[in-house]
Amino acid sequence: MTFDDHDSRGPRSTAGGAAAVALLGAIAVGTVLYTNGDGGGERAAPPPVSPSPSPFPSPAPATSTAAKSAPSGTASLSAGAPDALPSPLVRPVVRPEQAFPEKHVRLKDGSRYQRVGLATTTDCAGGLSAESAALVDRGEGCARLTSALFTDVERRSRTTVTVASFRRAEDASAVFARVSTDPVAHRVVPLVPQPETGLPAVPPGSEGSAGSAGLFAQLMTVRSVVFAHGQWTDGAGPEEAALARRTQGLLRYVHDHVRAYEQGGHG
């Protein structure tokens, strides 16, 4: 795969548990926080794969436990799609600097974040789970996958936001629908922080627990699916609402940039 190294590259974590999918206006956003369902205890997932030369370590296949806890239900393919597709679907896919234009981000609620990692590739399978890669192969393929790692000013949380852009809007819809109903099997691989960022590695054994790596959310544009994966840096942090605000805020920030570009904005 090709890799344009802007800041850093990195990891993955896995997660498991119950989920809820909510629709926001004409765009659907799904957020899932994984627990083991027996009184709020945390469920351990398979140990993380050691970082490889690729910016996207190969994800482990979803376990049978995760499959059991994956949310059920159906999702309308039109739920996350815009009301009307713009004419310039033939525009080049969004570039990293268009999706992630700022290293220091201030959201509308006043919260501030720093982008500490950026990785991009045209070999999208390297940043997707095996299940998602197989789904992409059934269409006309993914044109580019770009991930950025953000942390807040206190460095309490880390959020990987990933933009997967497809050659056809139909393929983006198919992936969005599938990941909305089964975010465990169709997760993306989070970036691992480099030592110079000052972010600690997720403590061994806490991968996939609610505090460390349990929050997933996604939105769709015309031809892209934007994923967000939120974690607490210390492997703890039961403050689910606070983690959700950070994760969803960064997700919407990136989604707005990608949507504006695809609908004819500057880029």
Side-chain angles (χ1 to χ4, degrees):
M1 81 180 68
T2 61
F3 169 59
D4 303 327
D5 190 356
H6 293 254
D7 292 301
S8 66
R9 56 186 189 178
R12 53 89 33 98
S13 62
T14 57
V21 178
L23 300 181
L24 296 179
I27 301 294
V29 54
T31 302
V32 180
L33 184 65
Y34 291 97
T35 62
N36 62 13
D38 55 358
E42 298 180 349
R43 182 189 300 278
V49 179
S50 299
S52 67
S54 164
F56 303 102
S58 300
T63 63
S64 57
T65 300
K68 291 179 181 178
S69 61
S72 60
T74 59
S76 171
L77 294 186
S78 61
D83 293 333
L85 297 178
S87 56
L89 268 177
V90 294
R91 291 192 84 185
V93 296
V94 64
R95 298 191 303 271
E97 64 271 20
Q98 295 161 336
F100 306 100
E102 301 169 302
K103 190 167 184 177
H104 297 277
V105 175
R106 185 181 183 92
L107 301 182
K108 294 178 180 178
D109 64 1
S111 58
R112 293 179 293 139
Y113 303 88
Q114 180 183 359
R115 193 189 72 213
V116 296
L118 184 64
T120 186
T121 180
T122 55
D123 180 13
C124 300
L128 300 172
S129 68
E131 290 82 356
S132 290
L135 180 62
V136 169
D137 286 343
R138 289 200 284 271
E140 291 190 6
C142 170
R144 178 169 291 277
L145 185 141
T146 302
S147 293
L149 178 63
F150 294 92
T151 186
D152 58 277
V153 293
E154 295 89 8
R155 277 170 160 60
R156 290 192 61 218
S157 64
R158 74 185 87 191
T159 303
T160 297
V161 183
T162 299
V163 179
S165 296
F166 298 85
R167 295 182 175 86
R168 300 190 311 170
E170 302 95 303
D171 294 334
S173 293
V175 171
F176 179 80
R178 189 66 62 88
V179 75
S180 295
T181 57
D182 194 349
V184 175
H186 295 278
R187 63 195 179 276
V188 295
V189 180
L191 296 182
V192 67
Q194 296 301 297
E196 59 268 22
T197 65
L199 294 174
V202 176
S206 65
E207 292 284 338
S209 67
S212 66
L215 193 68
F216 296 85
Q218 57 278 332
L219 286 169
M220 181 184 165
T221 64
V222 173
R223 62 187 296 182
S224 301
V225 179
V226 185
F227 305 85
H229 180 195
Q231 308 170 270
W232 293 114
T233 56
D234 59 2
E239 305 163 62
E240 299 175 9
L243 186 60
R245 283 194 302 271
R246 298 170 190 227
T247 304
Q248 293 176 357
L250 286 166
L251 171 68
R252 293 189 184 97
Y253 162 79
V254 176
H255 167 267
D256 289 348
H257 283 291
V258 176
R259 181 180 60 181
Y261 169 79
E262 291 184 351
Q263 295 183 345
H266 296 293

